[in-house]
Coordinates of all heavy atoms in Angstrom, one line a residue:
M127 N 10.0 143.9 -244.5 CA 10.3 143.2 -243.4 C 10.7 141.8 -243.7 O 10.2 141.1 -244.5 CB 9.3 143.2 -242.3 CG 9.7 143.0 -240.9 SD 8.4 143.1 -239.6 CE 7.8 144.7 -239.8
D128 N 11.6 141.3 -242.9 CA 12.2 139.9 -243.1 C 11.2 138.9 -242.6 O 10.6 139.1 -241.6 CB 13.5 139.8 -242.3 CG 14.5 138.9 -243.0 OD1 14.2 138.4 -244.1 OD2 15.5 138.6 -242.3
F129 N 11.2 137.8 -243.3 CA 10.2 136.6 -243.0 C 10.4 136.1 -241.5 O 9.5 136.0 -240.8 CB 10.4 135.5 -244.0 CG 9.3 134.5 -243.8 CD1 7.9 134.7 -243.9 CD2 9.6 133.2 -243.4 CE1 7.0 133.8 -243.8 CE2 8.7 132.2 -243.3 CZ 7.4 132.5 -243.5
P130 N 11.7 135.8 -241.1 CA 11.9 135.4 -239.7 C 11.4 136.4 -238.6 O 10.9 136.0 -237.6 CB 13.5 135.2 -239.5 CG 13.9 135.0 -241.0 CD 13.0 135.9 -241.8
V131 N 11.5 137.7 -238.9 CA 11.0 138.7 -238.0 C 9.5 138.6 -237.9 O 8.9 138.5 -236.8 CB 11.4 140.1 -238.5 CG1 10.7 141.2 -237.7 CG2 12.9 140.3 -238.5
I132 N 8.8 138.4 -239.0 CA 7.4 138.3 -239.0 C 6.9 137.1 -238.3 O 6.0 137.1 -237.4 CB 6.8 138.3 -240.4 CG1 7.0 139.6 -241.1 CG2 5.3 138.0 -240.5 CD1 6.8 139.7 -242.6
V133 N 7.5 135.9 -238.6 CA 7.2 134.6 -237.9 C 7.4 134.7 -236.5 O 6.5 134.3 -235.7 CB 8.0 133.5 -238.6 CG1 7.8 132.2 -237.8 CG2 7.5 133.2 -240.0
T134 N 8.6 135.2 -236.0 CA 8.8 135.3 -234.6 C 7.9 136.3 -233.8 O 7.5 136.0 -232.7 CB 10.4 135.7 -234.3 OG1 11.1 134.8 -235.1 CG2 10.8 135.7 -232.9
A135 N 7.6 137.4 -234.5 CA 6.7 138.3 -233.9 C 5.3 137.8 -233.8 O 4.7 137.9 -232.7 CB 6.7 139.6 -234.7
I136 N 4.9 137.0 -234.7 CA 3.5 136.4 -234.7 C 3.5 135.4 -233.5 O 2.5 135.3 -232.7 CB 3.2 135.8 -236.1 CG1 2.9 136.9 -237.0 CG2 1.9 134.8 -235.9 CD1 2.7 136.4 -238.5
F137 N 4.5 134.5 -233.4 CA 4.6 133.6 -232.4 C 4.6 134.2 -231.1 O 3.9 133.8 -230.1 CB 5.8 132.7 -232.6 CG 5.9 131.5 -231.6 CD1 4.7 130.8 -231.2 CD2 7.1 131.0 -231.2 CE1 4.8 129.7 -230.4 CE2 7.2 129.9 -230.3 CZ 6.0 129.3 -230.0
G138 N 5.3 135.4 -230.9 CA 5.4 136.1 -229.6 C 4.1 136.7 -229.3 O 3.7 136.6 -228.1
A139 N 3.4 137.2 -230.2 CA 2.0 137.7 -230.0 C 1.0 136.7 -229.5 O 0.2 136.9 -228.6 CB 1.5 138.5 -231.2
F140 N 1.2 135.5 -230.2 CA 0.3 134.4 -229.8 C 0.6 133.9 -228.5 O -0.3 133.6 -227.7 CB 0.4 133.2 -230.8 CG -0.6 133.3 -231.9 CD1 -0.2 133.7 -233.2 CD2 -2.0 132.8 -231.7 CE1 -1.2 133.8 -234.2 CE2 -2.8 132.9 -232.7 CZ -2.5 133.3 -233.9
V141 N 1.9 133.9 -228.0 CA 2.2 133.4 -226.7 C 1.7 134.4 -225.7 O 1.2 134.0 -224.6 CB 3.7 133.2 -226.6 CG1 4.2 133.0 -225.2 CG2 4.2 132.1 -227.5
V142 N 1.9 135.7 -225.9 CA 1.4 136.7 -225.0 C -0.2 136.5 -224.9 O -0.8 136.5 -223.8 CB 1.7 138.2 -225.4 CG1 1.0 139.2 -224.5 CG2 3.2 138.3 -225.2
F143 N -0.9 136.4 -226.0 CA -2.3 136.4 -226.0 C -2.8 135.0 -225.3 O -3.7 135.1 -224.5 CB -2.8 136.3 -227.5 CG -4.3 136.1 -227.6 CD1 -5.2 137.2 -227.3 CD2 -4.8 134.9 -228.0 CE1 -6.5 137.0 -227.4 CE2 -6.2 134.8 -228.1 CZ -7.1 135.8 -227.8
G144 N -2.0 133.9 -225.4 CA -2.4 132.7 -224.9 C -2.3 132.9 -223.3 O -3.0 132.3 -222.6
G145 N -1.2 133.5 -222.8 CA -1.1 133.9 -221.4 C -2.1 134.6 -220.8 O -2.7 134.3 -219.8
V146 N -2.6 135.5 -221.6 CA -3.7 136.4 -221.1 C -5.0 135.5 -221.1 O -5.8 135.6 -220.1 CB -3.9 137.6 -222.0 CG1 -5.2 138.4 -221.6 CG2 -2.7 138.6 -221.8
M147 N -5.2 134.8 -222.1 CA -6.4 133.9 -222.1 C -6.4 132.8 -221.1 O -7.4 132.5 -220.5 CB -6.5 133.2 -223.5 CG -6.9 134.1 -224.7 SD -8.4 135.1 -224.4 CE -9.6 133.9 -224.2
G148 N -5.2 132.3 -220.7 CA -5.1 131.4 -219.6 C -5.4 132.1 -218.3 O -6.1 131.4 -217.4
Y149 N -5.1 133.3 -218.2 CA -5.5 134.1 -216.9 C -7.1 134.3 -216.9 O -7.6 134.2 -215.9 CB -4.8 135.4 -216.9 CG -5.1 136.1 -215.6 CD1 -4.7 135.7 -214.4 CD2 -5.9 137.3 -215.7 CE1 -5.0 136.5 -213.2 CE2 -6.2 138.0 -214.6 CZ -5.6 137.6 -213.4 OH -6.0 138.3 -212.2
V150 N -7.6 134.7 -218.0 CA -9.0 135.1 -218.1 C -9.8 133.9 -217.9 O -10.8 133.9 -217.1 CB -9.4 135.8 -219.5 CG1 -10.9 135.9 -219.6 CG2 -8.7 137.1 -219.5
K151 N -9.5 132.7 -218.5 CA -10.4 131.5 -218.5 C -10.1 130.7 -217.2 O -11.1 130.2 -216.7 CB -10.1 130.6 -219.7 CG -10.6 131.1 -220.9 CD -10.5 130.0 -222.1 CE -11.6 130.2 -223.1 NZ -11.6 129.1 -223.9
A152 N -8.9 130.6 -216.8 CA -8.7 129.7 -215.6 C -8.1 130.5 -214.4 O -7.7 129.9 -213.4 CB -7.6 128.6 -216.1
A153 N -8.0 131.8 -214.4 CA -7.5 132.6 -213.4 C -6.0 132.1 -213.1 O -5.7 132.2 -211.9 CB -8.3 132.6 -212.2
S154 N -5.4 131.8 -214.0 CA -4.0 131.3 -213.9 C -3.0 132.4 -214.0 O -2.7 132.8 -215.1 CB -3.7 130.1 -214.9 OG -2.4 129.8 -214.9
R155 N -2.5 132.8 -212.8 CA -1.4 133.9 -212.9 C -0.2 133.3 -213.5 O 0.6 134.0 -214.1 CB -1.2 134.4 -211.5 CG -2.3 135.3 -211.0 CD -1.9 136.1 -209.9 NE -1.6 135.3 -208.8 CZ -1.1 135.7 -207.5 NH1 -0.9 137.0 -207.4 NH2 -0.9 134.8 -206.6
A156 N 0.1 132.0 -213.3 CA 1.3 131.4 -213.9 C 1.2 131.5 -215.4 O 2.3 131.8 -216.0 CB 1.3 129.9 -213.5
S157 N 0.1 131.3 -216.0 CA 0.0 131.4 -217.4 C 0.2 132.9 -217.9 O 0.9 133.1 -218.9 CB -1.4 131.0 -217.9 OG -1.6 129.7 -217.8
L158 N -0.2 133.8 -217.1 CA -0.1 135.2 -217.4 C 1.4 135.6 -217.4 O 1.9 136.2 -218.3 CB -0.9 136.1 -216.5 CG -0.9 137.6 -216.8 CD1 -1.4 138.0 -218.2 CD2 -1.7 138.3 -215.7
I159 N 2.0 135.2 -216.3 CA 3.5 135.5 -216.1 C 4.3 134.9 -217.2 O 5.2 135.5 -217.8 CB 3.8 135.2 -214.7 CG1 3.2 136.1 -213.7 CG2 5.4 135.4 -214.6 CD1 3.2 135.7 -212.3
A160 N 4.2 133.6 -217.3 CA 5.0 132.8 -218.3 C 4.7 133.3 -219.7 O 5.7 133.5 -220.5 CB 4.7 131.3 -218.1
G161 N 3.4 133.5 -220.1 CA 3.1 133.9 -221.4 C 3.7 135.4 -221.6 O 4.2 135.6 -222.8
S162 N 3.7 136.3 -220.7 CA 4.2 137.6 -220.9 C 5.7 137.6 -221.0 O 6.2 138.3 -221.8 CB 3.7 138.4 -219.6 OG 2.3 138.6 -219.6
I163 N 6.4 136.7 -220.2 CA 7.8 136.8 -220.2 C 8.3 136.1 -221.5 O 9.0 136.7 -222.2 CB 8.4 136.0 -219.0 CG1 8.1 136.8 -217.8 CG2 9.8 135.7 -219.2 CD1 8.5 136.1 -216.4
T164 N 7.8 134.9 -221.9 CA 8.3 134.2 -223.1 C 7.8 135.0 -224.3 O 8.5 135.1 -225.3 CB 7.9 132.8 -223.1 OG1 6.4 132.7 -223.0 CG2 8.5 131.9 -222.0
G165 N 6.6 135.5 -224.3 CA 6.2 136.3 -225.5 C 6.9 137.6 -225.7 O 7.3 137.9 -226.7
G166 N 7.2 138.2 -224.6 CA 8.1 139.4 -224.6 C 9.4 139.1 -225.1 O 10.0 139.9 -225.9
L167 N 10.0 138.0 -224.7 CA 11.3 137.6 -225.2 C 11.3 137.3 -226.7 O 12.3 137.6 -227.4 CB 11.8 136.5 -224.4 CG 12.4 136.7 -223.0 CD1 12.7 135.4 -222.3 CD2 13.5 137.6 -223.0
L168 N 10.2 136.6 -227.1 CA 10.0 136.4 -228.6 C 9.9 137.7 -229.4 O 10.5 137.9 -230.5 CB 9.0 135.5 -228.9 CG 9.2 134.0 -228.6 CD1 7.8 133.2 -228.5 CD2 10.2 133.4 -229.5
L169 N 9.2 138.7 -228.9 CA 9.0 140.0 -229.5 C 10.3 140.7 -229.5 O 10.7 141.4 -230.5 CB 7.9 140.7 -228.9 CG 6.6 140.2 -229.0 CD1 5.5 141.0 -228.1 CD2 6.0 140.3 -230.5
L170 N 11.1 140.6 -228.4 CA 12.4 141.3 -228.3 C 13.3 140.6 -229.4 O 14.1 141.3 -230.1 CB 13.0 141.1 -227.0 CG 14.4 141.5 -226.8 CD1 14.6 143.0 -227.0 CD2 15.0 141.1 -225.4
S171 N 13.3 139.2 -229.5 CA 14.0 138.5 -230.6 C 13.6 139.0 -231.9 O 14.6 139.3 -232.7 CB 13.7 137.1 -230.3 OG 14.2 136.3 -231.5
A172 N 12.4 139.1 -232.2 CA 11.9 139.8 -233.5 C 12.5 141.1 -233.8 O 13.1 141.4 -234.9 CB 10.5 139.7 -233.7
F173 N 12.5 142.0 -232.8 CA 13.2 143.2 -232.9 C 14.7 143.2 -233.2 O 15.2 143.8 -234.1 CB 12.9 144.0 -231.6 CG 13.6 145.4 -231.6 CD1 13.1 146.5 -232.4 CD2 14.7 145.6 -230.8 CE1 13.8 147.7 -232.4 CE2 15.4 146.8 -230.9 CZ 14.9 147.9 -231.6
L174 N 15.3 142.3 -232.4 CA 16.8 142.2 -232.6 C 17.2 141.6 -233.9 O 18.1 142.0 -234.6 CB 17.4 141.3 -231.5 CG 17.4 141.9 -230.1 CD1 17.9 140.9 -229.0 CD2 18.2 143.2 -230.1
I175 N 16.3 140.6 -234.4 CA 16.6 140.0 -235.7 C 16.4 141.2 -236.8 O 17.1 141.2 -237.8 CB 15.6 138.9 -236.0 CG1 16.0 137.8 -235.1 CG2 15.6 138.4 -237.5 CD1 14.9 136.6 -235.1
S176 N 15.4 142.0 -236.6 CA 15.1 143.1 -237.5 C 16.3 144.0 -237.6 O 16.6 144.7 -238.7 CB 13.9 143.8 -237.3 OG 14.1 144.6 -236.1
R177 N 17.1 144.1 -236.5 CA 18.3 144.9 -236.5 C 19.6 144.2 -237.0 O 20.6 144.8 -237.0 CB 18.5 145.5 -235.1 CG 17.5 146.3 -234.5 CD 17.4 147.7 -235.2 NE 16.4 148.5 -234.6 CZ 15.8 149.5 -235.3 NH1 16.1 149.8 -236.5 NH2 14.9 150.2 -234.6
G178 N 19.4 142.9 -237.4 CA 20.6 142.3 -238.0 C 21.3 141.6 -236.9 O 22.5 141.1 -237.1
S179 N 20.8 141.4 -235.7 CA 21.6 140.8 -234.5 C 21.5 139.3 -234.5 O 20.3 138.8 -234.6 CB 21.1 141.4 -233.2 OG 21.7 140.7 -232.1
T180 N 22.6 138.6 -234.5 CA 22.6 137.1 -234.3 C 22.0 136.7 -233.0 O 21.4 135.7 -232.9 CB 24.0 136.6 -234.5 OG1 24.5 137.1 -235.8 CG2 24.0 135.1 -234.6
A181 N 22.2 137.6 -232.1 CA 21.7 137.3 -230.7 C 20.1 137.2 -230.7 O 19.6 136.3 -229.9 CB 22.1 138.3 -229.7
G182 N 19.5 137.9 -231.6 CA 18.0 137.8 -231.6 C 17.6 136.4 -232.2 O 16.6 135.8 -231.7
T183 N 18.3 135.9 -233.1 CA 18.0 134.6 -233.7 C 18.3 133.6 -232.6 O 17.5 132.6 -232.4 CB 19.0 134.3 -234.8 OG1 18.7 135.3 -235.9 CG2 18.6 132.9 -235.5
I184 N 19.4 133.6 -231.9 CA 19.7 132.7 -230.8 C 18.6 132.7 -229.7 O 18.2 131.7 -229.2 CB 21.1 132.8 -230.3 CG1 22.1 132.6 -231.4 CG2 21.3 132.1 -229.1 CD1 23.5 133.0 -231.1
L185 N 18.2 134.0 -229.3 CA 17.2 134.1 -228.3 C 15.9 133.5 -228.8 O 15.2 132.8 -228.0 CB 17.0 135.6 -227.9 CG 15.9 136.0 -227.0 CD1 16.2 135.4 -225.6 CD2 15.8 137.5 -226.8
G186 N 15.5 133.8 -230.0 CA 14.3 133.2 -230.5 C 14.3 131.7 -230.6 O 13.3 131.1 -230.2
L187 N 15.4 131.1 -231.0 CA 15.5 129.7 -230.9 C 15.4 129.1 -229.6 O 14.7 128.1 -229.3 CB 16.8 129.2 -231.6 CG 16.9 129.2 -233.1 CD1 18.4 129.0 -233.5 CD2 16.0 128.1 -233.6
A188 N 16.2 129.7 -228.6 CA 16.1 129.2 -227.2 C 14.7 129.3 -226.7 O 14.2 128.3 -226.0 CB 17.1 130.0 -226.4
V189 N 14.0 130.4 -226.8 CA 12.7 130.5 -226.3 C 11.7 129.5 -226.9 O 10.8 129.0 -226.3 CB 12.2 132.0 -226.3 CG1 10.8 132.1 -225.8 CG2 13.1 132.9 -225.5
S190 N 11.8 129.4 -228.3 CA 10.9 128.5 -229.0 C 11.2 127.1 -228.6 O 10.2 126.3 -228.5 CB 11.1 128.7 -230.5 OG 10.8 130.0 -230.9
L191 N 12.4 126.7 -228.4 CA 12.6 125.3 -228.0 C 12.2 125.1 -226.6 O 11.7 124.0 -226.3 CB 14.2 125.0 -228.1 CG 14.6 124.9 -229.6 CD1 16.1 124.8 -229.7 CD2 14.0 123.7 -230.4
L192 N 12.3 126.1 -225.7 CA 11.8 126.0 -224.4 C 10.3 125.7 -224.4 O 9.7 124.8 -223.7 CB 12.1 127.3 -223.5 CG 11.6 127.3 -222.2 CD1 12.3 126.4 -221.3 CD2 11.7 128.7 -221.6
L193 N 9.6 126.5 -225.2 CA 8.2 126.4 -225.3 C 7.7 125.0 -225.9 O 6.8 124.4 -225.5 CB 7.6 127.5 -226.1 CG 7.6 128.9 -225.4 CD1 7.2 130.0 -226.3 CD2 6.6 128.9 -224.2
L194 N 8.5 124.6 -226.9 CA 8.2 123.3 -227.5 C 8.4 122.1 -226.4 O 7.7 121.2 -226.4 CB 9.2 123.0 -228.6 CG 8.6 123.6 -230.0 CD1 9.7 123.5 -231.1 CD2 7.4 123.0 -230.4
S195 N 9.5 122.3 -225.6 CA 9.7 121.3 -224.5 C 8.6 121.3 -223.5 O 8.4 120.3 -222.8 CB 11.1 121.5 -223.9 OG 11.1 122.6 -223.1
Q196 N 7.9 122.3 -223.4 CA 6.7 122.5 -222.5 C 5.5 121.8 -223.1 O 4.8 121.0 -222.4 CB 6.6 123.9 -222.0 CG 5.3 124.0 -221.1 CD 5.4 123.4 -219.8 OE1 6.5 123.3 -219.2 NE2 4.3 122.9 -219.2
F197 N 5.2 122.2 -224.3 CA 3.9 121.9 -224.9 C 3.9 120.6 -225.7 O 2.8 119.9 -225.8 CB 3.5 123.0 -225.8 CG 3.0 124.2 -225.0 CD1 3.7 125.3 -224.7 CD2 1.6 124.1 -224.5 CE1 3.3 126.4 -223.9 CE2 1.1 125.3 -223.8 CZ 2.0 126.4 -223.5
A198 N 5.0 120.1 -226.2 CA 5.0 118.8 -226.9 C 4.7 117.7 -226.1 O 3.8 116.8 -226.5 CB 6.3 118.6 -227.7
P199 N 5.2 117.5 -224.9 CA 4.8 116.3 -224.1 C 3.3 116.3 -223.7 O 2.7 115.3 -223.6 CB 5.7 116.4 -222.9 CG 7.0 117.2 -223.3 CD 6.4 118.1 -224.3
S200 N 2.9 117.6 -223.5 CA 1.5 117.8 -223.1 C 0.6 117.3 -224.3 O -0.5 116.8 -224.1 CB 1.1 119.2 -222.7 OG 1.8 119.5 -221.5
L201 N 1.0 117.7 -225.5 CA 0.2 117.3 -226.6 C 0.2 115.8 -226.8 O -0.8 115.2 -227.2 CB 0.9 118.0 -227.9 CG 0.2 117.6 -229.2 CD1 -1.2 118.1 -229.3 CD2 1.0 118.3 -230.4
L202 N 1.3 115.2 -226.5 CA 1.4 113.7 -226.7 C 0.5 113.0 -225.6 O -0.1 112.0 -225.9 CB 2.8 113.2 -226.6 CG 3.7 113.6 -227.8 CD1 5.2 113.2 -227.5 CD2 3.2 113.1 -229.0
K203 N 0.4 113.6 -224.5 CA -0.5 113.0 -223.4 C -1.9 113.2 -223.6 O -2.7 112.2 -223.6 CB -0.1 113.5 -222.1 CG 1.2 113.1 -221.5 CD 1.4 113.6 -220.1 CE 2.8 113.4 -219.6 NZ 3.3 114.1 -218.4
K204 N -2.3 114.4 -223.9 CA -3.7 114.7 -224.2 C -3.7 115.6 -225.5 O -3.1 116.7 -225.5 CB -4.3 115.7 -223.1 CG -4.5 115.0 -221.8 CD -5.2 115.9 -220.9 CE -4.8 115.7 -219.4 NZ -5.4 116.8 -218.5
F205 N -4.3 115.0 -226.5 CA -4.4 115.8 -227.8 C -5.4 116.9 -227.7 O -6.6 116.7 -228.0 CB -4.7 114.8 -229.0 CG -4.5 115.5 -230.3 CD1 -3.3 115.6 -230.9 CD2 -5.6 116.0 -230.9 CE1 -3.1 116.2 -232.1 CE2 -5.4 116.7 -232.2 CZ -4.1 116.7 -232.8
K206 N -4.9 118.1 -227.3 CA -5.8 119.2 -227.2 C -5.3 120.2 -228.2 O -4.1 120.6 -228.2 CB -5.7 119.9 -225.8 CG -6.4 119.1 -224.7 CD -6.2 119.5 -223.3 CE -6.5 121.0 -223.1 NZ -6.3 121.5 -221.7
V207 N -6.2 120.8 -228.9 CA -5.8 121.6 -230.0 C -5.4 123.0 -229.4 O -4.4 123.6 -229.8 CB -7.0 122.0 -231.0 CG1 -6.7 123.0 -232.0 CG2 -7.2 120.7 -231.7
M208 N -6.2 123.5 -228.4 CA -5.8 124.7 -227.7 C -5.3 124.4 -226.3 O -6.0 123.7 -225.6 CB -7.0 125.6 -227.7 CG -7.3 126.3 -229.0 SD -6.0 127.3 -229.6 CE -6.0 128.7 -228.6
P209 N -4.3 124.7 -225.9 CA -3.1 125.5 -226.6 C -2.1 124.6 -227.2 O -1.2 125.1 -227.9 CB -2.6 126.4 -225.5 CG -2.7 125.6 -224.3 CD -3.9 124.7 -224.4
N210 N -2.1 123.4 -226.8 CA -0.9 122.5 -227.1 C -0.6 122.4 -228.6 O 0.6 122.6 -229.0 CB -1.1 121.1 -226.6 CG -1.2 121.1 -225.1 OD1 -0.8 122.1 -224.4 ND2 -1.9 120.0 -224.5
L211 N -1.5 122.0 -229.4 CA -1.2 121.8 -230.8 C -0.9 123.1 -231.6 O 0.1 123.2 -232.3 CB -2.5 121.2 -231.6 CG -2.3 121.0 -233.1 CD1 -1.1 119.9 -233.3 CD2 -3.6 120.5 -233.7
L212 N -1.6 124.2 -231.3 CA -1.2 125.5 -231.7 C 0.2 125.9 -231.4 O 1.0 126.3 -232.3 CB -2.2 126.6 -231.3 CG -1.9 128.0 -231.8 CD1 -2.2 128.1 -233.3 CD2 -2.9 129.0 -231.1
M213 N 0.6 125.7 -230.2 CA 1.9 126.1 -229.7 C 3.0 125.2 -230.4 O 4.1 125.7 -230.7 CB 2.0 126.0 -228.2 CG 1.3 127.0 -227.4 SD 1.7 128.7 -227.8 CE 3.2 128.8 -227.0
V214 N 2.7 124.0 -230.5 CA 3.7 123.0 -231.1 C 3.9 123.4 -232.6 O 5.0 123.5 -233.2 CB 3.3 121.6 -230.9 CG1 4.1 120.7 -231.8 CG2 3.5 121.2 -229.4
V215 N 2.8 123.6 -233.3 CA 2.9 123.9 -234.8 C 3.7 125.3 -234.9 O 4.5 125.5 -235.7 CB 1.5 124.0 -235.4 CG1 1.6 124.6 -236.8 CG2 1.0 122.6 -235.4
L216 N 3.2 126.4 -234.1 CA 3.9 127.6 -234.3 C 5.3 127.6 -233.9 O 6.2 128.2 -234.5 CB 3.1 128.7 -233.5 CG 1.7 129.1 -234.1 CD1 1.1 130.1 -233.2 CD2 1.9 129.7 -235.5
G217 N 5.6 126.8 -232.8 CA 7.0 126.7 -232.4 C 7.8 126.0 -233.4 O 9.0 126.4 -233.7
C218 N 7.3 125.0 -234.0 CA 8.2 124.3 -235.1 C 8.4 125.2 -236.3 O 9.5 125.2 -236.9 CB 7.4 123.0 -235.5 SG 7.5 121.7 -234.2
I219 N 7.3 125.9 -236.7 CA 7.4 126.8 -237.8 C 8.6 127.8 -237.4 O 9.4 128.2 -238.4 CB 6.1 127.4 -238.1 CG1 5.2 126.5 -238.8 CG2 6.3 128.7 -239.1 CD1 3.8 126.9 -238.9
T220 N 8.5 128.4 -236.2 CA 9.4 129.4 -235.9 C 10.8 128.9 -235.7 O 11.8 129.5 -236.3 CB 9.1 130.0 -234.5 OG1 7.7 130.6 -234.6 CG2 10.0 131.2 -234.0
V221 N 11.1 127.7 -235.2 CA 12.3 127.1 -235.1 C 12.9 126.9 -236.4 O 14.1 127.2 -236.7 CB 12.3 125.8 -234.2 CG1 13.6 125.0 -234.4 CG2 12.2 126.1 -232.7
G222 N 12.1 126.3 -237.3 CA 12.6 126.0 -238.7 C 13.0 127.3 -239.4 O 14.0 127.2 -240.1
T223 N 12.1 128.3 -239.3 CA 12.5 129.6 -240.0 C 13.8 130.2 -239.5 O 14.7 130.6 -240.2 CB 11.3 130.6 -239.8 OG1 10.1 129.9 -240.3 CG2 11.6 131.9 -240.4
L224 N 13.9 130.2 -238.2 CA 15.2 130.7 -237.5 C 16.3 130.0 -237.9 O 17.4 130.5 -238.2 CB 14.9 130.9 -236.0 CG 13.9 131.9 -235.6 CD1 13.7 131.9 -234.1 CD2 14.4 133.3 -236.0
I225 N 16.3 128.6 -237.9 CA 17.5 127.8 -238.2 C 17.8 128.1 -239.7 O 19.0 128.2 -240.0 CB 17.2 126.3 -238.0 CG1 17.1 126.0 -236.5 CG2 18.2 125.4 -238.6 CD1 16.8 124.6 -236.1
F226 N 16.8 128.1 -240.5 CA 17.1 128.4 -242.0 C 17.7 129.8 -242.2 O 18.7 129.9 -242.8 CB 15.7 128.3 -242.7 CG 16.0 128.5 -244.3 CD1 16.6 127.5 -245.0 CD2 15.6 129.7 -244.9 CE1 16.8 127.7 -246.4 CE2 15.8 129.9 -246.1 CZ 16.4 128.9 -246.9
S227 N 17.2 130.7 -241.5 CA 17.8 132.1 -241.6 C 19.2 132.2 -241.0 O 20.0 133.0 -241.5 CB 16.9 133.1 -241.0 OG 16.9 133.1 -239.6
F228 N 19.4 131.4 -240.0 CA 20.7 131.5 -239.3 C 21.8 130.9 -240.1 O 22.9 131.5 -240.2 CB 20.6 130.6 -238.0 CG 21.9 130.7 -237.2 CD1 22.1 131.9 -236.4 CD2 22.7 129.7 -237.1 CE1 23.2 132.0 -235.6 CE2 23.9 129.8 -236.3 CZ 24.1 130.9 -235.5
F229 N 21.5 129.9 -241.0 CA 22.6 129.2 -241.8 C 22.5 129.9 -243.2 O 23.3 129.4 -244.0 CB 22.4 127.8 -241.8 CG 22.8 127.1 -240.6 CD1 21.8 126.5 -239.7 CD2 24.1 127.1 -240.1 CE1 22.2 125.9 -238.5 CE2 24.4 126.6 -238.9 CZ 23.5 126.0 -238.1
K230 N 21.6 130.7 -243.5 CA 21.5 131.3 -244.8 C 22.6 132.3 -245.0 O 23.1 133.0 -244.3 CB 20.1 131.9 -245.0 CG 19.9 132.5 -246.3 CD 18.4 133.1 -246.3 CE 18.3 134.1 -247.3 NZ 17.2 134.9 -247.3

């Protein structure tokens, strides 16, 4: 399996898991919905990348950048490891991997 597929799928799984944990811990339906949608899109992106589709890379980049734009400002305001730091680190790794694979 290709490295960008693995990285994107792992990020997608963490996002879905984070949405579920947000719902369980804080009864936040918004976390559950947002995590399920964005995580699902990242998993779809990983599937499309595995099939050789450029659209999968673009989708993964778009969703990852969207998540970074949500969690990076929160990380700067309050330095919380969970979920902010984890999401920023995984998002940066995913974006870097996808950009590298896109121009490769």
Side-chain angles (χ1 to χ4, degrees):
M127 202 179 299
D128 208 11
F129 188 66
V131 174
I132 295 168
V133 170
T134 307
I136 288 172
F137 188 36
F140 269 101
V141 171
V142 170
F143 179 73
V146 171
M147 289 307 297
Y149 179 73
V150 169
K151 285 186 152 194
S154 171
R155 285 195 298 175
S157 290
L158 180 64
I159 293 167
S162 298
I163 291 171
T164 55
L167 287 172
L168 285 167
L169 292 171
L170 174 63
S171 169
F173 174 75
L174 292 172
I175 294 168
S176 72
R177 299 288 184 209
S179 172
T180 305
T183 303
I184 294 169
L185 176 63
L187 278 170
V189 173
S190 298
L191 289 171
L192 175 73
L193 288 169
L194 278 173
S195 72
Q196 175 65 34
F197 285 95
S200 297
L201 179 64
L202 294 175
K203 286 180 186 174
K204 293 186 210 174
F205 189 81
K206 289 173 49 179
V207 173
M208 287 298 289
N210 298 339
L211 181 62
L212 179 66
M213 292 298 288
V214 169
V215 169
L216 290 175
C218 287
I219 292 170
T220 304
V221 166
T223 303
L224 291 175
I225 287 174
F226 181 76
S227 72
F228 187 74
F229 290 111
K230 182 178 155 188

